[in-house]
Amino acid sequence: MAETSQKALQQQILIDDSNIPDWLLTEILQRLPVKHIFKFKCVSKRWFILISDPFFARLYSTRINTSLSTSQPWNLLFRYLYEVRIVPSSMIDTRIALKQSQDFSSPGFSLNFLPYSKHDCPIKILASSNGLLLCCETFYWQKNYYICNPLIQQWIALPKPPKAIKSVAVGFICKDDHYEVIRFPTANYGPSNTLRLETFSSETGKWHCSIVNCPVLDYYIKTDSPVVHYNGSLHWLEFRHSKIITYDPHNGTNTGLHLMNLPDDKQSEHLSLLGVSRGRFRYFEVTDTCFGPRDLHVWVLSDYDAQRWCLEYRIKFSGSWIDEVNEFIPKDNFYIFPLALHPHEFDIVYLGYGGCLVSYNLGTRKLDVVHRNFYSHQLLAFVFSPWPTTIPQPF
């Protein structure tokens, strides 16, 4: 009898908050994990109004940024896997949690809430922007695109693009209450210096096709290196001419694709990628010799308009590994490739090495194993927004 009365009293306390002023209830809700807050919108009309208020989101973001001081929680995500047959099923939705907080400490990271049908072939993560992911069911002949927030499991399917293209370079920009998806062919072999560019805008809810200028006739974009949104433009690595192809979707006076120079003293044509660390645009490469020691180089773009690069690190791998590595990785004839830059730390990069994902500190030369039996060459550093971005509905 006493237990029944106690349970009834607890339920009453949870439901009846009429004596709690708005400011106090707001303070209480501010201290809850963000994933729970979105569920608590359903508790009552009052809670829904308080949590939906933009003022609440600003307060929550300020508190999170203050508690985290210099960095936001983030994860390193698999973008897509080529050899599905050799990948253990347990790795299909694995999250490698390199940063943890109470809001993002769930044991696994999954995109199973998306309505893709081929469970033997995991969905592809193409790009990220402002806490949202752009995904697709396939790598070639892309037609079914999804934009999702993996933290609150909100998603929207885009209309199918107007034209079927075997391989496309895709960019994604989300800002405030608007987002755009840009795509165009990864290669151009035709005689014309123009190409067809397709843009989906949430403001119109439709794909828009335009003919834009192309800086070179025979460009080829590296799709294994994620697109980088920086300084208002999208950036892709171009393989055939060793350049960066850029596109600014909001520069109406200078439309089209443009070329940007890579560092003059770069050496690698294959094992390289672009990224942003603490707001700085960087280029990261490993020399592509087949055998023996490799060199690691990292440049930072010191002047964007002048395309001036500054070499930050030049490291020879031959004498830099700690003894622990030799216990499980062959000393001779090893294979190593760059995977990602740390979004908050200049000194930390991520490499594929001897079948493992490793983090490497460029300053201390210390190597740590993050994940063993690593099968993917495609990673994406995904930074969570302090307050989850709600996907704008297309008009």
Side-chain angles (χ1 to χ4, degrees):
M1 184 73 176
E3 292 182 1
T4 304
S5 301
Q6 186 177 3
K7 289 181 180 179
L9 180 60
Q10 290 175 347
Q11 291 178 355
Q12 183 179 359
I13 293 174
L14 287 174
I15 296 172
D16 186 9
D17 59 4
S18 57
N19 294 327
I20 303 177
D22 283 352
W23 69 266
L24 180 57
L25 182 56
T26 299
E27 286 295 321
I28 295 172
L29 293 174
Q30 287 283 316
R31 286 159 173 76
L32 296 176
V34 69
K35 287 194 294 186
H36 295 169
I37 287 177
F38 274 75
K39 295 178 182 178
F40 291 159
K41 278 186 175 184
C42 303
V43 170
S44 67
K45 183 177 180 180
R46 181 190 183 194
W47 285 34
F48 180 86
I49 293 173
L50 285 177
I51 296 173
S52 301
D53 193 324
F55 176 71
F56 184 92
R58 288 196 296 271
L59 282 178
Y60 195 94
S61 299
T62 301
R63 185 183 67 81
I64 288 292
N65 285 330
T66 302
S67 63
L68 296 173
S69 66
T70 59
S71 63
Q72 296 170 213
W74 69 286
N75 284 318
L76 204 56
L77 308 183
F78 294 103
R79 292 185 63 213
Y80 40 80
L81 303 168
Y82 287 114
E83 298 294 337
V84 179
R85 291 173 299 176
I86 67 172
V87 177
S89 59
S90 60
M91 283 190 61
I92 295 300
D93 288 307
T94 297
R95 180 185 71 171
I96 303 173
L98 303 173
K99 280 282 183 179
Q100 290 282 7
S101 75
Q102 62 175 357
D103 292 333
F104 313 115
S105 58
S106 57
F109 180 89
S110 174
L111 296 177
N112 281 337
F113 61 90
L114 294 176
Y116 65 96
S117 58
K118 296 182 179 179
H119 295 285
D120 60 334
C121 186
I123 199 161
K124 280 67 177 170
I125 301 174
L126 303 180
S128 68
S129 180
N130 195 26
L132 300 181
L133 293 176
L134 174 66
C135 305
C136 188
E137 293 182 1
T138 58
F139 179 69
Y140 293 109
W141 303 106
Q142 295 175 5
K143 60 179 181 179
N144 296 320
Y145 291 104
Y146 304 101
I147 294 175
C148 70
N149 186 323
L151 184 63
I152 59 176
Q153 297 192 355
Q154 180 192 18
W155 64 274
I156 187 171
L158 302 187
K160 290 181 173 58
K163 186 176 181 180
I165 304 175
K166 180 179 180 181
S167 180
V168 290
V170 184
F172 177 45
I173 299 175
C174 178
K175 188 176 182 181
D176 300 326
D177 58 350
H178 171 66
Y179 62 83
E180 290 178 304
V181 177
I182 297 100
R183 62 177 234 154
F184 58 92
T186 56
N188 180 29
Y189 303 103
S192 174
N193 65 342
T194 61
L195 58 85
R196 176 190 175 100
L197 186 141
E198 300 171 338
T199 302
F200 179 87
S201 171
S202 61
E203 293 184 340
T204 64
K206 299 179 180 179
W207 288 93
H208 172 72
C209 301
S210 57
I211 304 301
V212 299
N213 293 324
C214 179
V216 288
L217 294 178
D218 57 344
Y219 73 86
Y220 182 77
I221 290 177
K222 288 186 62 171
T223 55
D224 59 350
S225 182
V227 58
V228 177
H229 181 215
Y230 182 78
N231 198 35
S233 295
L234 297 168
H235 302 76
W236 293 269
L237 275 178
E238 194 276 332
F239 174 74
R240 189 163 285 115
H241 300 274
S242 295
K243 301 286 186 180
I244 300 173
I245 287 186
T246 70
Y247 177 70
D248 182 355
H250 305 118
N251 190 350
T253 61
N254 192 18
T255 58
L257 305 180
H258 299 275
L259 288 182
M260 183 176 182
N261 292 326
L262 286 167
D264 293 333
D265 49 347
K266 69 175 293 295
Q267 298 181 30
S268 178
E269 297 295 335
H270 307 283
L271 305 177
S272 58
L273 57 86
L274 300 172
V276 177
S277 295
R278 296 182 64 181
R280 303 292 300 277
F281 192 70
R282 305 172 88 193
Y283 176 73
F284 172 31
E285 73 169 18
V286 176
T287 55
D288 52 355
T289 55
C290 295
F291 303 102
R294 296 175 181 269
D295 292 346
L296 182 151
H297 304 145
V298 179
W299 289 265
V300 63
L301 190 64
S302 57
D303 190 324
Y304 187 89
D305 293 331
Q307 301 181 21
R308 185 176 298 116
W309 294 89
C310 177
L311 180 64
E312 289 183 298
Y313 295 98
R314 184 190 301 273
I315 296 174
K316 290 186 177 297
F317 283 145
S318 55
S320 61
W321 304 119
I322 57 176
D323 293 336
E324 178 187 352
V325 176
N326 297 328
E327 296 179 4
F328 63 94
I329 296 179
K331 193 171 184 179
D332 301 323
N333 195 16
F334 59 81
Y335 180 62
I336 188 167
F337 48 91
L339 286 171
L341 297 165
H342 196 296
H344 304 312
E345 301 291 340
F346 280 125
D347 291 342
I348 298 178
V349 298
Y350 296 92
L351 305 162
Y353 179 51
C356 297
L357 169 63
V358 300
S359 66
Y360 184 66
N361 191 307
L362 300 166
T364 63
R365 311 295 173 89
K366 188 178 187 304
L367 179 146
D368 293 307
V369 177
V370 177
H371 198 283
R372 297 174 185 265
N373 300 321
F374 184 72
Y375 295 95
S376 175
H377 290 198
Q378 312 300 325
L379 292 178
L380 178 71
F382 177 59
V383 180
F384 288 99
S385 297
W387 180 255
T389 305
T390 301
I391 304 174
Q393 298 295 317
F395 291 100

